[in-house]
Amino acid sequence: METIKLLNLEFSTVDAVYPSIHQEEGDFLVEFRDWQEKAVKLHFSDIVAFKWQMVFDLHEGERDDCCYEIHGSSWLIQHVQSEIINDHEGYKHYRLNFNEIGQLDVIALNLRART
């Protein structure tokens, strides 16, 4: 069963502008400006999968303007069962909800942010 864990990050996706998304040699870079016009740069290392969608697929209690880790992720489990990754490697399913503009899901080893 999937559960969500709110991430306490040093940035906010509330009223952010549409993000710029780049994949580079196994890493994934996301850049956007937050509601205060601060530049935010995110680095996901050793990315396995990502998806952007305009439709929000929210769990109970999940807000459309916050960032989460999805525990028990069926999407992550699908990648383990397909032997794309190993269950013990430490991959995580991250979800960034950009209210009104879309939802970004990423499977990666970790997430680092610079503001």
Side-chain angles (χ1 to χ4, degrees), residues 18 25 35 39 41-42 49 63 68-69 72 99 101 107 114:
Y18 195 89
E25 295 183 15
W35 65 277
K41 295 181 180 185
L42 306 179
R63 294 176 41 147
Y68 297 90
E69 181 180 339
N99 63 317
I101 59 175
I107 295 176
R114 290 188 317 229

Side-chain angles (χ1 to χ4, degrees), residues 89-103:
E89 291 178 294
Y91 282 91
K92 297 177 182 176
H93 177 177
Y94 297 99
R95 174 172 291 159
L96 285 68
N97 293 325
F98 292 85
N99 63 317
E100 297 183 15
I101 59 175
Q103 184 176 63

